[in-house]
Amino acid sequence: LAYLYRYTREFEKALTASERAIELLPNDSRAYIAYRNSLFFNRRWDEIKGAMKKAYEIDPLDPGTANMYARELSSSGEYEEAIEIFDGIIRNYPEFGPAYGEKAWIYRDVPYGEIDKAFEIVYEIYQKNPDDLNLMIELVNISHDVKFMPFAEYLIAKMDELYPNNGNALRTKINHQFI
C-alpha cells in the first residue's frame, strides 16, 4: 500500500502505510525499505539512514538491502564502512552489478579520487556482463575521467546497437558529445 500511495504521489499516506507495515511486520526488512522510501519522498532526510540500518540489521545477506544501506553510509561520509559492505556483497554475490558501480563511485569521487581503481572495479563485472547497460554507462563516464576516449566511443556505439531507444543510453551519448 505504501508503494501504491507513493506512485499516486500521496506521500503522507505512503508514510502512514509504511509505518503500519512496520507495526505489523517488525522483523521484515521490506517494511523498513518501504518506510525509507516514504521518508525520502516526505523529505525527512535525517531519518533515512536509520530506516536502512534497521532493514540491513534484519536481512544483511540480501544484496539489494545491503547495497541500499551502504549507499546511505557513503552519502553520509562513512566511506570505509560502505566499502566493507560493498566488498561483502561482491564476495557473496559476484554477479550483483550495482555493488561494483557504487563502490567505484566512492573511489571515483570524494574522498579517494582513484579514478583508475574505479575503472578496474566496474570493468571487472562488465567483463562478466558485457551487455549490461548500466555498467556500460558507468564505464563511459569513468572513461571520460581517465581520458580513455576510444573505449568510451566503443561503448556508445555498442549501446546504440543494443539499446537504440533507451533514454539513459541516449543521454550518455549526448553527454559524450559535449565532453
Side-chain angles (χ1 to χ4, degrees), residues 133-147:
L133 177 62
N134 294 321
L135 296 174
M136 286 190 274
I137 290 171
E138 186 68 28
L139 283 171
V140 167
N141 294 331
I142 297 172
S143 293
H144 281 288
D145 293 343
V146 297
K147 309 293 187 236

Side-chain angles (χ1 to χ4, degrees), residues 8 13 23 27 31 43 47 49-50 54 66 69 72 78 84 89 95-96 103 115 125 132 136 142 160 164 171-172:
T8 59
K13 288 182 179 180
E23 288 175 24
N27 294 313
R43 295 186 164 107
E47 300 170 63
K49 188 171 98 178
K54 183 65 177 173
Y69 178 54
E72 294 299 336
E78 298 172 64
E84 286 179 28
I89 296 167
E95 300 299 318
F96 189 77
K103 180 181 175 183
I115 299 167
I125 188 69
D132 185 296
M136 286 190 274
I142 297 172
D160 272 347
R171 266 189 297 285
T172 301

Side-chain angles (χ1 to χ4, degrees), residues 35-94:
Y35 181 56
R36 176 258 178 239
N37 293 333
S38 296
L39 290 169
F40 177 85
F41 283 99
N42 281 282
R43 295 186 164 107
R44 289 172 54 179
W45 318 119
D46 294 343
E47 300 170 63
I48 290 173
K49 188 171 98 178
M52 276 314 305
K53 181 178 183 179
K54 183 65 177 173
Y56 178 70
E57 288 170 350
I58 292 170
D59 194 0
L61 298 179
D62 176 70
T65 300
N67 198 68
M68 287 178 72
Y69 178 54
R71 265 194 346 235
E72 294 299 336
L73 290 169
S74 176
S75 69
S76 65
E78 298 172 64
Y79 303 110
E80 295 302 320
E81 188 176 349
I83 288 172
E84 286 179 28
I85 293 172
F86 290 134
D87 284 343
I89 296 167
I90 291 167
R91 186 174 44 259
N92 294 322
Y93 305 94

Side-chain angles (χ1 to χ4, degrees), residues 1-8 10 13-18 20-21 34 38:
L1 189 57
Y3 285 104
L4 172 67
Y5 286 134
R6 187 175 109 205
Y7 291 116
T8 59
E10 299 174 83
K13 288 182 179 180
L15 186 61
T16 301
S18 61
R20 180 68 176 140
S38 296

